[in-house]
Amino acid sequence: MTSMQKNTTDARRVAVIGAGAAGMMAAITAAEAGATVTLFEKNDRVGKKLRITGKGRCNVTNNCDNNEFLANVPTNPRFLYASLARFSTADTMSFFEDAGVPLKTERGKRVFPVSDRAADIVSAMERRCREAGVQIVHRRVRGLQIAEGKICGLVYDQTEEAFDAVIICTGGRSYSMTGSDGDGHRFATMLGHTVTPLHPSLVPIVAQGKLCASLQGLSLKNVALSIKLTQSGKTVYEDFGEMLFTHYGLTGPMVLSASAHLSDITPGKYEAYIDLKPALDEKMLDARILSDFSKYQNRDLINALDDLLPQKMIAPYIGLCGIDPRKKVNSITREERERMVHILKGIRIPLVGFRPLEEAIVTRGGVSVKEIDPKTMQSKLVEGLYFAGEVLDVDAYTGGFNLQIAFSTATVAGTSAAWG
């Protein structure tokens, strides 16, 4: 190995590991605060995960105040008070607008680039890095070096390099194909930090039975979803919007959001209920069905529901109703109609678990925040060691909150590392 080079300038030398949302923001902030910054990224380009967030549109933040923001953080929200006060959602919006990326606010106060291109967000951050003088090195960091309880450098390839501070921004374990494979947690553990158990969050849900598989690929819009405890019937989550059936169960925006509320999912504990016609009460829905039956009075039931349901759902729905699909609609009984209405207002789907962590948008769990100073993001165990973003045991619901956590914690970490 080469000998470690000494810092001969007054500027602090800061290394940032991971060039995702948190890593690039930490690097920009540290460099603009006067540090000499090297950003290490093992992929051949920066922002690999950021490029695919929000289905390639990138939900950069949520246009809400701090109190509303923290209400959407189920895991360790108090830890974020200081960082969110330092760099708020409004600051994030100003950052990207000033960087030449016009933004727009959509339903649920979700903020996206006007272009609907996540690549524009990545390009803006990479450009700001280079303008600030950040050196981007596409190498994998192998380990960190400490002396007398302080960070003194790191190792990559066969090279040791001296640094005054290191900021770990390696993400969690979700979307591992983008490079989030647990390096940061490994470094933290090696340096004495506690890493809480890792679980998927904002992840598709596995369902019991064959119904979802029979509807695979069907997307529903403007439907209502509720998740209930099987035994008590208590509703633990409800929403209105979009969802998608898959061969294993359910996914889509509402389902991903629901998963963040179900940290202890086990087979038999939860059931999903889908209201296909949330705008209509049962009386109105019965009148609608009668109207369709009058229109198609000489048809078989299976050929009389095209105005009511997507074609792919008709046969499975009739099966759930327990009615002969070849029965003429003019002979459908009142009791059968009541059953049809009841199922339209609440298709029941037993839930059994989550898809793997690798398929999750966010990792729940990470470096224990009890061992991090929330005002600086510096380790309480190792001087000069900082953390930011998803590597920490902080996660939020869907809607731009998790990226904002990355930006806020990274800004604090970058400034703190630069100033020492």
Side-chain angles (χ1 to χ4, degrees):
M1 292 187 179
T2 61
S3 60
M4 294 183 65
Q5 302 173 356
K6 297 295 183 182
N7 183 7
T8 57
T9 69
D10 292 334
R12 281 172 61 83
R13 296 195 64 195
V14 175
V16 181
I17 307 174
M24 285 191 284
M25 185 64 82
I28 293 165
T29 306
E32 291 181 349
T36 300
V37 181
T38 304
L39 176 58
F40 290 90
E41 172 53 56
K42 62 188 175 187
N43 290 315
D44 59 2
R45 59 178 181 169
V46 301
K48 193 170 182 179
K49 182 178 178 181
L50 194 55
R51 294 173 192 273
I52 63 174
T53 59
K55 296 182 179 178
R57 297 177 63 216
C58 194
N59 183 185
V60 292
T61 189
N62 193 282
N63 192 2
C64 65
D65 62 28
N66 287 0
N67 288 333
E68 186 177 350
F69 186 96
L70 292 169
N72 282 275
V73 182
T75 307
N76 297 316
R78 291 175 59 85
F79 178 77
L80 295 173
Y81 283 1
S83 58
L84 198 59
R86 286 270 297 277
F87 196 81
S88 68
T89 61
D91 292 324
T92 294
M93 294 172 70
S94 295
F95 175 90
F96 286 108
E97 294 272 4
D98 292 346
V101 184
L103 303 175
K104 59 182 177 180
T105 301
E106 297 187 356
R107 185 178 69 85
K109 301 183 182 180
R110 292 167 164 85
V111 179
F112 293 88
V114 171
S115 65
D116 286 329
R117 284 172 41 86
D120 291 349
I121 296 295
V122 177
S123 295
M125 297 194 78
E126 185 174 14
R127 184 169 60 252
R128 283 289 296 268
C129 280
R130 297 194 185 282
E131 289 172 354
V134 175
Q135 180 185 9
I136 301 175
V137 175
H138 291 282
R139 294 288 186 272
R140 181 171 192 162
V141 174
R142 302 293 178 182
L144 307 184
Q145 296 178 317
I146 61 172
E148 299 178 352
K150 298 180 181 180
I151 285 288
C152 61
L154 54 71
V155 180
Y156 63 96
D157 294 338
Q158 297 300 309
T159 302
E160 297 178 355
E161 189 166 351
F163 288 98
D164 301 302
V166 172
I167 310 175
I168 296 178
C169 303
T170 50
R173 291 289 300 275
S174 56
Y175 288 155
S176 58
M177 73 283 193
T178 64
S180 299
D181 56 6
D183 275 354
H185 296 138
R186 180 169 57 84
F187 296 149
T189 300
M190 291 172 62
L191 295 177
H193 275 278
T194 303
V195 175
T196 64
L198 305 180
H199 303 284
S201 186
L202 305 184
V203 64
I205 300 177
V206 181
Q208 184 179 0
K210 299 179 180 180
L211 177 62
C212 292
S214 71
L215 297 172
Q216 179 180 352
L218 177 63
S219 177
L220 299 178
K221 295 183 179 182
N222 302 319
V223 298
L225 173 71
S226 58
I227 309 293
K228 299 182 180 182
L229 289 168
T230 303
Q231 288 190 339
S232 67
K234 179 183 177 182
T235 299
V236 296
Y237 176 84
E238 54 188 353
D239 200 0
F240 173 87
E242 300 178 28
M243 57 175 295
L244 175 72
F245 292 100
T246 72
H247 67 282
Y248 54 76
L250 305 171
T251 189
M254 286 196 298
V255 175
L256 298 178
S257 295
S259 71
H261 296 256
L262 309 177
S263 59
D264 56 348
I265 191 169
T266 54
K269 183 166 185 177
Y270 297 105
E271 294 177 328
Y273 287 83
I274 305 168
D275 183 346
L276 296 171
K277 302 295 177 182
L280 303 177
D281 61 24
E282 293 197 358
K283 185 176 180 180
M284 296 167 65
L285 189 51
D286 186 49
R288 164 66 191 277
I289 291 173
L290 280 172
S291 175
D292 286 354
F293 282 2
S294 176
K295 182 178 179 181
Y296 302 118
Q297 58 183 314
N298 294 319
R299 292 190 182 183
D300 296 344
L301 179 59
I302 197 165
N303 296 320
L305 300 178
D306 289 311
D307 295 347
L308 189 67
L309 293 170
Q311 180 63 41
K312 195 167 189 175
M313 177 164 270
I314 293 175
Y317 165 68
I318 293 174
L320 291 173
C321 294
I323 304 173
D324 181 354
R326 292 301 171 185
K327 189 171 185 176
K328 297 297 183 183
V329 295
N330 56 19
S331 62
I332 297 291
T333 67
R334 180 177 179 178
E335 290 73 18
E336 287 172 330
R337 255 191 6 259
E338 288 177 349
R339 198 153 66 241
M340 291 177 66
V341 169
H342 179 71
I343 291 174
L344 281 172
K345 295 295 290 180
I347 292 180
R348 172 182 164 274
I349 300 176
L351 307 178
V352 296
F354 294 132
R355 292 293 287 175
L357 179 57
E358 291 75 18
E359 296 180 27
I361 294 176
V362 170
T363 302
R364 179 184 290 121
V367 178
S368 173
V369 297
K370 295 177 182 178
E371 300 164 356
I372 309 295
D373 183 344
K375 296 181 179 179
T376 64
M377 295 298 145
Q378 183 172 212
S379 164
K380 294 179 180 179
L381 309 182
V382 180
E383 186 178 340
L385 177 64
Y386 299 79
F387 296 90
E390 195 182 346
V391 71
L392 293 164
D393 182 20
V394 182
D395 65 88
Y397 301 138
T398 186
F401 302 104
N402 287 288
L403 272 182
Q404 180 64 45
I405 289 172
F407 296 140
S408 294
T409 56
T411 298
V412 171
T415 304
S416 302
W419 292 349

